Each structure stands twice: as structure tokens, then as C-alpha cells.
């Protein structure tokens, strides 16, 4: 994960599949809300034509706290009684940040939505990309390789400097005399 107080994610809410309201297909006015912890971060426009298969394809740059473990995507519907949550998916941040995933890798993900009773209620399709801070992206050339790197320069791979972990065991050879 980034070492900043927050990270920027580029989240595209693409579409929903088989979204229902009280087991009946949604007719119109579905939208998605992206949250971290309990804080709403952004929302899509209402899809007025897609019914149970809404299509948004909306890109949002979202700041998430460094310690956030999940992002929640809720699909809601505007009704005469107000906004109603039809389903939600909790997405682990570890699915697209950290580990062995290259920086700025674009993930296309689909998650099962669950209603307030925990029952299945459709699927949400999103893409997520961790945005690389400008200072990290410009601090070295991502095209450098270990072969042909000028002496005294550190090779760099997309903002990652390769090296040996501190405390790695060192091979010792003992000679018998």
C-alpha cells in the first residue's frame, strides 16, 4: 500500500446485473454509491433505462484512508418513499492494492450484491486502479532496466526499487582443514 495518509483510487462503476426490488425486476432509477467505512464518497447518476441491468460506466477518483480495509458499493433505487438500498458488496482493498500487483494495474471485478437480509440480489461490475502519486511516478524512469543502468544509478521498475530484504540470511562456507 502507499505510505501516505490516503490513497487515490480510480473506480469505474460499470454496470449491474439482475438487480431486484422485493424479488421483482427493477424498472428504473437505479444508482450506485461508493463508501469507505461508513462515509459516502461518491455516487453515480441514475440509470433511467436499464431496469434490472443498469449501465453507468462512470469513473470516480476516490481518496481512501490508508487504513481502510473495505470499500462498499451499494446499488440503490429512487422510489416514492425515498432512496432504497437494493444490494451491497464489501470489496477488500487488498483485492487491488498492495501485494505483488503492479502499480496502476487496472482490475476488472464483479461482486455479488447482497440485500439487507443477506440474500443474493444481482452483481455489480467495477474497474479499479490505484493511482500512483506524481512524485513516485516521476522519481525514476519506469523504462530503466538493470542492464544498461548507468553506474551509480539505482534501477527502478515503475516506482519500485529492487533490493534484498534487511536481515536476509547470508550464505557462509566453512572449510575443513
Amino acid at each position: 500500500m502507499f505510505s501516505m495518509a490516503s490513497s487515490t483510487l480510480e473506480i469505474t462503476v460499470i454496470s449491474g446485473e439482475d438487480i431486484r426490488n422485493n424479488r421483482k425486476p427493477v424498472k428504473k432509477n437505479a444508482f450506485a454509491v461508493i463508501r469507505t467505512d461508513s462515509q459516502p464518497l461518491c455516487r453515480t447518476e441514475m440509470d433511467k433505462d436499464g431496469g434490472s441491468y443498469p449501465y453507468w460506466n462512470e469513473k470516480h477518483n476516490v481518496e481512501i484512508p490508508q487504513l481502510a480495509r473495505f470499500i462498499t458499493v451499494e446499488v440503490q433505487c429512487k422510489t416514492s418513499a425515498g432512496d432504497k438500498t437494493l444490494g451491497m458488496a464489501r470489496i477488500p482493498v487488498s483485492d487491488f492494492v498492495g501485494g505483488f500487483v503492479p502499480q496502476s494495474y487496472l482490475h476488472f471485478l464483479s461482486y455479488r450484491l447482497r440485500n439487507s437480509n443477506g440474500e443474493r440480489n444481482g452483481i455489480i461490475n467495477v474497474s479499479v486502479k490505484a493511482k500512483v502519486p506524481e512524485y513516485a511516478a516521476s522519481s525514476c524512469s519506469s523504462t530503466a532496466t538493470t542492464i544498461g543502468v548507468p553506474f551509480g544509478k539505482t534501477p527502478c521498475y515503475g516506482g519500485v526499487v529492487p533490493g534484498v530484504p534487511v536481515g536476509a540470511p547470508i550464505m557462509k562456507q566453512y572449510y575443513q582443514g
Side-chain angles (χ1 to χ4, degrees), residues 3-113:
S3 60
M4 306 178 307
S6 66
S7 298
T8 302
L9 298 177
E10 180 182 280
I11 301 174
T12 303
V13 182
I14 301 168
S15 64
E17 300 175 28
D18 199 25
I19 310 295
R20 298 179 174 270
N21 185 3
N22 296 325
R23 300 182 194 250
K24 296 177 187 172
V26 172
K27 293 183 180 177
K28 59 181 180 176
N29 297 339
F31 60 95
V33 176
I34 301 170
R35 301 179 186 275
T36 180
D37 300 323
S38 60
Q39 219 173 349
L41 299 174
C42 59
R43 93 179 230 176
T44 65
E45 296 292 322
M46 271 190 267
D47 177 272
K48 297 183 183 199
D49 302 320
S52 288
Y53 292 83
Y55 180 77
W56 301 286
N57 200 31
E58 289 186 27
K59 189 180 295 186
H60 300 274
N61 288 315
V62 176
E63 289 286 328
I64 62 165
Q66 181 182 10
L67 300 177
R69 294 179 43 207
F70 294 94
I71 290 176
T72 302
V73 179
E74 294 178 2
V75 175
Q76 298 182 7
C77 180
K78 187 151 189 83
T79 66
S80 58
D83 296 343
K84 179 178 181 182
T85 300
L86 303 174
M88 68 178 226
R90 286 188 59 178
I91 303 170
V93 172
S94 61
D95 280 5
F96 42 81
V97 175
F100 297 103
V101 178
Q103 292 181 5
S104 294
Y105 184 80
L106 181 61
H107 302 264
F108 287 93
L109 307 163
S110 295
Y111 291 92
R112 171 74 58 195
L113 293 168

Side-chain angles (χ1 to χ4, degrees), residues 137 140-150 154-160:
C140 64
S141 169
S142 61
T143 59
T145 62
T146 53
I147 298 172
V149 174
T154 305
C156 182
Y157 306 95
V160 177

